[in-house]
């Protein structure tokens, strides 16, 4: 296993008195030590084969040279019509601490999205915590949308993208932490402070969005300790990613918490919220959808019975995952006008 160490990014904990010891670990790919150093493995936490059969074309592009951030573009190798394809962002999860566009589970899901949705898929990376705490990931997600705008207006755009992509039909989706990023992009664009014309965002798909708060929800408190995303891991991700000196009631984390601005007047495009009924984040996702509905926003909330966090990428060929793909396709069709 290939690792690399980043020294001194966290405040040392009496490093002179004792040898460095591990204080936090995330799915075998991130380890944080008492002297503030961090070890990241170059290997993904999900070791699965990449199902690249040539039916989907893909390539990497740098979208933020300052932070050396890349995104991965996907498109079907052939399409049934000559009409341009909708654009679908898929922002990966990982508690803001782990994950990458290049992980096999992420790449395989993007292959399926490109084929099943008949769409151009954009899968961006973002800076990870604890080296880069929030709001870094939110800023990077927004920059990935601004990159698309730059392609739409460029005199010499990337024709690999622009020859097939419909910039008037853009959907922004995120999985877990990526769902949180998608929400915060929706708020930023809806607030009118970040125009991205001629790119037209038509809707958002939040897949098991990673929201938090100081008050533990019922589904978090009663969820099994052996869940794929259990409460201890949820709290660990937040401990490593929240801004220094803040709590999980920060507005980027708790959209309707005591510190959050009122979003009732914010103009937000239609949102599809999806969660597994056995996901510890279920109550937060449901409260999020219900609050927006009560404010008159166009929100659809769907639970998949018996499913845990991330079921659609962990078991992408299961019946619930197949039904979810159909649901997303229907949402895109209904909001493309």
């Amino acid at each position: 296993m290939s690792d690399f160490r980043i020294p001194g990014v966290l405040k040392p904990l009496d490093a002179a008195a004792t040898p460095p010891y591990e204080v936090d670990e995330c799915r075998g790919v991130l380890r944080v030590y008492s002297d503030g150093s961090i070890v990241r493995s170059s290997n993904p936490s999900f070791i699965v084969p990449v199902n690249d059969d040539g039916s989907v074309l893909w390539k990497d592009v740098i979208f933020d040279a300052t932070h050396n951030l890349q995104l991965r573009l996907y498109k079907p190798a052939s399409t049934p019509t000559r009409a341009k394809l909708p654009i679908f962002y898929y922002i990966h999860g990982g508690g803001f601490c782990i994950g990458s566009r290049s992980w096999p589970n992420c790449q395989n899901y993007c292959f399926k999205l490109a084929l099943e949705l008949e769409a151009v898929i954009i899968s961006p990376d973002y800076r990870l915590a604890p080296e880069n705490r929030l709001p870094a990931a939110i800023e990077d997600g927004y920059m990935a949308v601004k990159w698309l705008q730059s392609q739409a207006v460029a005199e010499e755009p990337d024709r690999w993208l622009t020859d097939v992509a419909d910039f008037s039909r853009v959907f922004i989706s995120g999985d877990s932490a990526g769902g949180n990023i998608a929400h915060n992009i929706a708020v930023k664009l809806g607030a009118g402070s970040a125009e991205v014309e001629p790119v037209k965002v038509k809707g958002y798909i939040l897949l098991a969005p990673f929201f938090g708060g100081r008050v533990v929800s019922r589904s978090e408190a009663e969820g099994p300790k052996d869940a794929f995303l259990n409460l201890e891991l949820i709290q660990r991700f937040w401990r490593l990613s929240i801004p220094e000196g803040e709590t999980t009631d920060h507005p980027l984390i708790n959209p309707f918490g005591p510190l959050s601005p009122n979003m009732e007047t914010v103009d937000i495009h239609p949102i599809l919220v999806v969660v597994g009924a056995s996901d510890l984040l279920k109550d937060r996702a449901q409260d999020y959808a219900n609050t927006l509905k009560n404010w008159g926003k166009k929100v659809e909330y769907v639970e998949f019975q018996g499913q845990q966090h991330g079921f659609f990428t962990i078991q992408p060929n299961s019946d619930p995952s197949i039904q979810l793909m159909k649901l997303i396709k229907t949402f895109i069709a209904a909001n493309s006008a």
Side-chain angles (χ1 to χ4, degrees):
M1 181 173 66
S2 176
D3 296 337
F4 59 92
R5 181 179 291 269
I6 305 171
V9 294
L10 295 179
K11 184 178 180 180
L13 301 177
D14 197 20
T18 59
Y21 56 90
E22 185 177 291
V23 295
D24 275 307
E25 182 274 335
C26 296
R27 299 212 188 278
V29 299
L30 170 65
R31 290 180 169 83
V32 182
Y33 291 87
S34 58
D35 64 349
S37 62
I38 292 173
V39 173
R40 282 192 180 274
S41 171
S42 60
N43 295 328
S45 61
F46 300 96
I47 307 298
V48 295
V50 175
N51 302 321
D52 188 357
D53 60 4
S55 60
V56 175
L57 306 178
W58 61 275
K59 71 172 187 174
D60 288 327
V61 175
I62 293 177
F63 73 92
D64 184 347
T66 301
H67 299 110
N68 194 32
L69 290 172
Q70 298 186 59
L71 53 79
R72 186 159 287 180
L73 297 170
Y74 300 82
K75 64 181 180 182
S78 61
T79 56
T81 68
R82 299 188 65 180
K84 289 196 172 185
L85 306 177
I87 297 170
F88 189 90
Y89 276 81
Y90 176 74
I91 307 173
H92 71 77
F96 295 109
C97 297
I98 60 176
S100 169
R101 79 193 190 288
S102 64
W103 279 18
N105 63 308
C106 179
Q107 186 160 5
N108 287 339
Y109 198 59
C110 287
F111 287 149
K112 293 185 72 69
L113 288 167
L115 289 176
E116 297 293 329
L117 303 182
E118 296 179 6
V120 174
I121 309 302
I122 301 178
S123 181
D125 274 340
Y126 49 87
R127 286 171 289 168
L128 298 174
E131 304 95 315
N132 301 281
R133 290 176 174 266
L134 292 171
I138 311 298
E139 295 169 350
D140 297 339
Y142 173 64
M143 285 300 297
V145 178
K146 292 291 288 182
W147 171 85
L148 186 65
Q149 179 193 38
S150 73
Q151 289 298 310
V153 301
E155 292 184 3
E156 297 183 7
D158 186 339
R159 301 301 296 270
W160 192 98
L161 168 71
T162 59
D163 281 353
V164 299
D166 184 351
F167 291 91
S168 70
R169 290 189 295 154
V170 178
F171 294 84
I172 298 178
S173 166
D175 165 10
S176 193
N180 177 302
I181 294 172
H183 155 75
N184 280 291
I185 292 174
V187 173
K188 188 174 182 65
L189 296 181
S193 62
E195 191 59 65
V196 290
E197 292 286 353
V199 171
K200 296 186 183 299
V201 178
K202 295 292 189 177
Y204 298 86
I205 299 92
L206 276 55
L207 304 172
F210 191 43
F211 296 130
R214 294 182 69 183
V215 177
V216 176
S217 72
R218 181 175 178 178
S219 60
E220 289 172 338
E222 297 180 357
K225 293 183 179 180
D226 61 352
F228 176 71
L229 182 67
N230 59 33
L231 182 57
E232 193 280 328
L233 185 54
I234 289 171
Q235 293 174 334
R236 192 186 321 168
F237 281 140
W238 286 131
R239 184 169 63 250
L240 293 171
S241 64
I242 60 175
E244 292 285 357
E246 298 287 350
T247 72
T248 48
D249 275 338
H250 189 283
L252 296 177
I253 298 165
N254 187 352
F256 309 121
L259 305 177
S260 301
N262 189 338
M263 295 194 305
E264 187 170 0
T265 60
V266 176
D267 183 18
I268 297 179
H269 291 293
I271 298 177
L272 171 62
V273 180
V274 177
V275 69
S278 299
D279 189 342
L280 272 68
L281 297 178
K282 179 185 78 71
D283 286 354
R284 295 195 184 278
Q286 187 172 34
D287 289 346
Y288 172 85
N290 288 340
T291 300
L292 291 179
K293 282 183 181 179
N294 291 337
W295 287 345
K297 312 301 181 186
K298 187 177 179 181
V299 179
E300 183 179 359
Y301 172 78
V302 179
E303 278 184 23
F304 282 83
Q305 295 302 312
Q307 300 305 303
Q308 287 202 38
H309 190 76
F311 68 91
F312 39 89
T313 58
I314 296 172
Q315 296 180 310
N317 296 315
S318 67
D319 183 66
S321 297
I322 293 170
Q323 294 306 312
L324 171 58
M325 192 69 74
K326 293 178 180 178
L327 181 68
I328 295 172
K329 190 167 185 174
T330 299
F331 179 82
I332 290 175
N335 294 285
S336 288

